[in-house]
Amino acid sequence: MTLYDRVLVPTDGSAEGKRAVAHALDLASVHGADVHALYVVDTASYAGMPMESSWEGVGDLLRDDANEAVAEVESLAAETDLDIETAVAEGSPSKEIIRYAEGNDCDLIVMGTHGRGGIDRLLLGSVAEKVVRGSSVPVLTVRLDGDVPGDAAVESETPAESETPADGEPEAAGRS
């Protein structure tokens, strides 16, 4: 019995997001799982825009971006023997990701996070955090900003040899 049969990877089509997609594809390969790629058109982000003659084209442009993003996942998976299913949804990203995962019996959600903290997270919100808090499906987050604490070079050092972070504050013991 495999641990995962269906892995959901929400994508935003960004270059950074490919890191989460690659991680999802690797996990799916190891477990022989199917991959579901989902792009959510955030309708709330453009719902407040003023109505103009160009308004009709905005939805089409956003759906074109969505189709390109899920096609990119298919392209990245082309060299594997994984089964890929793609979907585009509209609405609140966190709600649609959870709805899709639960409605399609996904065993795992693999998604990127920018690792924002403090005021940035408070002001900008975090789709990943909302999914983690609201999903009944396990969620694996992948840092997209490349600033991963505890990378291989640091792990190989003894605690006395580790460097002090750029902010000058020593790292807390036991942090992974």
Side-chain angles (χ1 to χ4, degrees):
M1 184 170 122
T2 61
L3 187 56
Y4 305 118
D5 292 319
R6 283 168 300 286
V7 175
L8 171 61
V9 59
T11 182
D12 63 2
S14 69
E16 298 86 10
K18 288 182 185 177
R19 186 172 182 181
V21 171
H23 200 88
L25 295 175
D26 287 346
L27 268 173
S29 291
V30 168
H31 292 277
D34 296 339
V35 175
H36 292 246
L38 174 67
Y39 184 104
V40 179
V41 177
D42 186 358
T43 54
S45 69
Y46 68 92
M49 292 175 63
M51 294 293 230
E52 296 179 6
S53 59
S54 62
W55 168 250
E56 294 172 8
V58 171
D60 292 338
L61 288 173
L62 293 172
R63 281 186 285 285
D64 288 345
D65 287 347
N67 291 326
E68 287 176 24
V70 295
E72 178 70 20
V73 176
E74 284 181 314
S75 174
L76 292 170
E79 299 171 10
T80 71
D81 59 351
L82 297 171
D83 290 330
I84 307 292
E85 187 170 320
T86 63
V88 174
E90 292 186 15
S92 162
S94 58
K95 289 178 183 176
E96 292 304 319
I97 291 166
I98 293 167
R99 182 177 319 185
Y100 185 93
E102 293 173 353
N104 288 279
D105 296 320
C106 293
D107 305 300
L108 179 68
I109 301 169
V110 179
M111 63 187 301
T113 180
H114 292 282
R116 291 186 186 106
I119 195 72
D120 284 345
R121 191 181 83 219
L122 180 65
L123 293 175
L124 300 173
S126 169
V127 172
E129 183 176 359
K130 291 174 186 172
V131 172
V132 167
R133 290 183 185 275
S135 178
S136 64
V137 175
V139 180
L140 173 67
T141 60
V142 178
R143 290 283 295 262
L144 300 182
D145 58 12
D147 187 21
V148 181
D151 67 11
V154 174
E155 285 178 8
S156 66
E157 299 173 350
T158 62
E161 296 172 338
S162 62
E163 296 177 13
T164 302
D167 64 4
E169 294 292 325
E171 284 193 59
R175 183 176 170 193
S176 58

